[in-house]
Amino acid sequence: MGEKMDAGRRVAQCLLEGGPSPFQLQMKPVVFSIATMQGAVALWRLILGDVWGAATDALVLAIGYIAAVELRSVYFAYYGFACSVVFALSLGTVAVKLLYRQGGSSTVSSLDGTCFAMLTAAAAALLGAVASLLLWRDAQRAPERAACHAEAMLYGSLKSAEGG
């Protein structure tokens, strides 16, 4: 009876959690690289004096690291949302700086270091949002894989319990 309970518990855990898919394992170093780039941008923004931008990039770095380590769909969703917010805010701030530039031309060549840091943050955030969207879509297909795996586990445990 104890073996059947353990098998049932393993099946339930497999159905609820599932393991990481091969795609998620392949994307893990990509998410780490993107998060590392966001950390470098956060440090750059802090050096330039953009404390709030550095803080948001550091938070996105932390969420990205957790998403890459845990490989759960909820963390992919959090990371994608955070990257989308950073992307929108960074591009919005650069657009406002271009529109309301005082005394001079409002061309891209007249941007300062803070604007380039914001554009880099936006590019890294866009990469993070795309990666998290791909990972989230893959995680949404995981119940199908988990159900097949759970059936195989259940069949194997019943077969061994019957002695054949």
Side-chain angles (χ1 to χ4, degrees), residues 10-66:
R10 283 195 311 261
V11 169
Q13 182 179 9
C14 182
L15 283 173
L16 290 175
E17 295 179 11
S21 71
F23 179 72
Q24 290 173 350
L25 293 175
Q26 287 176 347
M27 288 293 289
K28 190 173 186 173
V30 173
V31 175
F32 273 124
S33 300
I34 294 169
T36 302
M37 185 169 49
Q38 289 170 328
V41 170
L43 184 62
W44 183 18
R45 288 175 84 167
L46 185 63
I47 290 170
L48 290 174
D50 185 10
V51 177
W52 292 111
T56 58
D57 286 341
L59 286 173
V60 171
L61 162 69
I63 295 170
Y65 177 76
I66 292 170

Side-chain angles (χ1 to χ4, degrees), residues 68-92:
V69 168
E70 294 295 324
L71 294 175
R72 300 281 182 238
S73 61
V74 68
Y75 296 123
F76 302 146
Y78 291 153
Y79 184 55
F81 177 73
C83 285
S84 300
V85 168
V86 168
F87 177 75
L89 291 176
S90 296
L91 280 185

